[in-house]
Amino acid sequence: MFIVYRAYAGETDGDLSSLRPNWFSKFNCWESFWNEFCSVDVVVLWDGECSGKFYEHIKMSGVKIFNFGKLGNKGSLEKTYQLLKNSNDKTVCTVEDDFLFVPGCRDVLLEGFRMGFYMMTPYEHMDRYLWPHNDYSFGKEHIYLGTKCYYRSVESTTGTCFFRKLTFDFLYDKLIEFNVNDRAFFRYAFSQGIRLFSPMPGYASHVCVDRGINLMGPFVNWEQLNKSFDYAKN
């Protein structure tokens, strides 16, 4: 498994986006990720100047850091895909720096790939339940039983996604074409018969709310999980 973790210094000085709960911490997100995936091949793509507490915190882990200057969201995502394309691992992944990970996430994802899934997200989106009729795949979902959880097909996810390398290579040109328009990309993959799966309940979540609506995955106390990594900010 080869993972590119995209990170930058934004929202690490207490100035949070309106999409964040007040307890959000990128330091804690990193720690939850690193605790799960430090045993696999991970590199960090740091966007912008290599300085600041968050950069130094990540650097302390000993992970390899790539920096190509200030690329911005679109540029850093394209560079991430280029790095993944050059990998010989059987599974490649892109991870954003605003996700919290539940212990056991890596094993659940690996089980999903052993079950034959081509693409996986550890994030169980609340969107699937709040606005299900908006999904191209509404009424066409599949549910499978694993040893630790259920797995369900989902229409789309964010820029945090895990791929079989053969699937990634097949879709590479479309990943470059759609870039940050992730929903359009996954809808294209769906049109090609390539389904995305997530565990139920989720083993990670995008830490966000929108106009008071909680978009974090159900059945997990994300604030409590975040608090368990508070040591990361000290």
Side-chain angles (χ1 to χ4, degrees):
M1 180 180 285
F2 176 56
I3 301 175
V4 178
Y5 189 94
R6 290 199 301 145
Y8 79 112
E11 298 184 280
T12 59
D13 58 358
D15 186 16
L16 299 181
S17 161
S18 61
L19 296 177
R20 307 296 185 196
N22 58 15
W23 46 262
F24 172 73
S25 166
K26 281 193 177 182
F27 294 87
N28 296 20
C29 288
W30 166 258
E31 288 297 315
S32 72
F33 165 80
W34 190 240
N35 280 5
E36 272 302 292
F37 295 99
C38 63
S39 63
V40 304
D41 190 5
V42 176
V43 301
V44 171
L45 196 161
W46 181 267
D47 189 33
E49 184 178 347
C50 294
S51 62
K53 290 183 178 179
F54 187 43
Y55 174 81
E56 294 299 330
H57 181 80
I58 291 176
K59 187 179 177 181
M60 282 194 306
S61 69
V63 68
K64 185 174 183 178
I65 300 176
F66 287 97
N67 177 254
F68 302 95
K70 180 62 176 175
L71 299 176
N73 192 25
K74 291 183 178 180
S76 68
L77 184 57
E78 182 170 341
K79 182 62 71 172
T80 293
Y81 291 149
Q82 292 170 359
L83 292 172
L84 296 179
K85 187 74 167 65
N86 292 329
S87 171
N88 293 320
D89 280 83
K90 292 181 179 179
T91 309
V92 295
C93 327
T94 171
V95 175
E96 299 158 301
D97 65 359
D98 55 356
F99 270 67
L100 275 171
F101 289 82
V102 175
C105 179
R106 182 174 66 94
D107 290 341
V108 164
L109 291 169
L110 290 174
E111 178 181 59
F113 285 119
R114 288 195 299 269
M115 291 172 65
F117 304 146
Y118 296 110
M119 303 186 297
M120 294 193 67
T121 171
Y123 177 24
E124 186 183 13
H125 290 249
M126 281 300 295
D127 308 49
R128 307 282 82 85
Y129 308 106
L130 294 171
W131 308 288
H133 292 85
N134 292 341
D135 286 356
Y136 278 9
S137 56
F138 178 70
K140 303 173 184 177
E141 304 298 2
H142 303 275
I143 298 177
Y144 297 96
L145 177 64
T147 61
K148 303 176 187 299
C149 62
Y150 291 96
Y151 297 87
R152 62 159 290 176
S153 58
V154 292
E155 184 215 57
S156 54
T157 189
T158 67
T160 292
C161 191
F162 294 67
F163 299 85
R164 285 180 183 269
K165 183 55 163 52
L166 290 174
T167 304
F168 177 87
D169 288 345
F170 178 74
L171 294 170
Y172 177 76
D173 289 343
K174 290 299 180 180
L175 284 161
I176 295 296
E177 175 185 338
F178 287 111
N179 197 274
V180 297
N181 192 352
D182 39 60
R183 191 170 199 181
F185 163 74
F186 287 107
R187 284 178 165 178
Y188 170 80
F190 174 76
S191 74
Q192 302 303 299
I194 303 172
R195 301 303 302 268
L196 171 71
F197 281 83
S198 74
M200 297 191 303
Y203 273 75
S205 184
H206 193 199
V207 184
C208 63
V209 294
D210 186 8
R211 290 162 290 187
I213 300 173
N214 175 27
L215 297 180
M216 291 171 278
F219 305 121
V220 177
N221 187 329
W222 298 104
E223 182 175 3
Q224 184 177 0
L225 178 66
N226 177 78
K227 190 175 181 179
S228 71
F229 295 104
D230 270 350
Y231 64 85
K233 293 182 288 189
N234 298 327

